[in-house]
Amino acid sequence: MSDETRGAGLVLVGYRGTGKSSLGRLVAERAGAAFLDADAVLERQRGESIRRIFESLGEPIFRDWEHETLAAIVQDQPGCVLATGGGAVLRADNRRLMRAHGLVVWLTADLRTLERRIGGDSSRPALTALGAVGEIATLVRQREPLYREVADRSV
């Protein structure tokens, strides 16, 4: 996709706990742009927490709804600062939407920082049976090539 066909938005990607929502709010405020957290939008629209969606309907349904949410934001909120869910990069169609929206920045953090930030977060579902530390290391390693593929920059 050439720069001429990319939107004016900013998309923040990365594993949970890397600061996408916190940084996104700050950047949007300073830029005078709207800020949207895709997970928060999805929860509002569906009236359930992500954890509850995972538990009651499963990850495939969540990922379908996540895609619908991203597509709607990209269409309806051009130029916004968008924080994506950590697993949004798993689908190629989501990665295309992100690039269409604008500049994509991959936020990273070392494993100890991630463990400290999210180790006790019970609002998010476990995605593996590995426990917090094992899950973080495994999923970061699995997703890293996808973050790298979609990102224009990393921080």
Side-chain angles (χ1 to χ4, degrees):
M1 177 175 288
S2 71
D3 287 337
E4 295 83 40
T5 60
R6 295 197 50 195
L10 173 66
V11 181
L12 301 174
V13 300
Y15 195 72
R16 63 180 164 169
T18 56
K20 299 179 300 288
S21 296
S22 298
L23 181 62
R25 280 186 197 89
L26 289 171
V27 169
E29 182 180 311
R30 289 188 181 167
F35 169 73
L36 291 170
D37 179 312
D39 283 349
V41 170
L42 189 152
E43 287 179 330
R44 265 193 318 274
Q45 289 175 339
R46 299 297 175 170
E48 290 190 77
S49 70
I50 290 171
R51 179 179 197 81
R52 181 78 177 117
I53 295 167
F54 264 77
E55 290 171 350
S56 63
L57 300 171
E59 185 173 0
I61 296 294
F62 169 77
R63 295 295 175 201
D64 289 344
W65 290 353
E66 178 179 58
H67 173 71
E68 292 170 11
T69 301
L70 285 173
I73 291 170
V74 168
Q75 178 180 324
D76 299 340
Q77 298 289 326
C80 79
V81 175
L82 172 60
T84 64
V89 295
L90 295 172
R91 289 191 174 180
D93 50 355
N94 289 347
R95 295 190 302 276
R96 282 190 291 277
L97 285 169
M98 292 171 196
R99 302 237 347 128
H101 188 66
L103 181 72
V104 181
V105 177
W106 171 27
L107 301 183
T108 65
D110 64 65
L111 294 178
R112 285 187 178 170
T113 299
L114 293 175
E115 179 187 0
R116 188 180 73 251
R117 289 179 182 171
I118 64 175
D121 182 0
S122 62
S123 69
R124 299 296 174 152
L127 300 175
T128 70
L130 299 173
V133 176
E135 178 173 291
I136 293 167
T138 298
L139 293 180
V140 166
R141 187 174 47 255
Q142 288 173 352
R143 294 174 182 178
E144 185 174 311
L146 301 174
Y147 294 135
R148 189 176 313 284
E149 173 192 321
V150 75
D152 296 298
R153 307 274 188 282
S154 67
V155 178

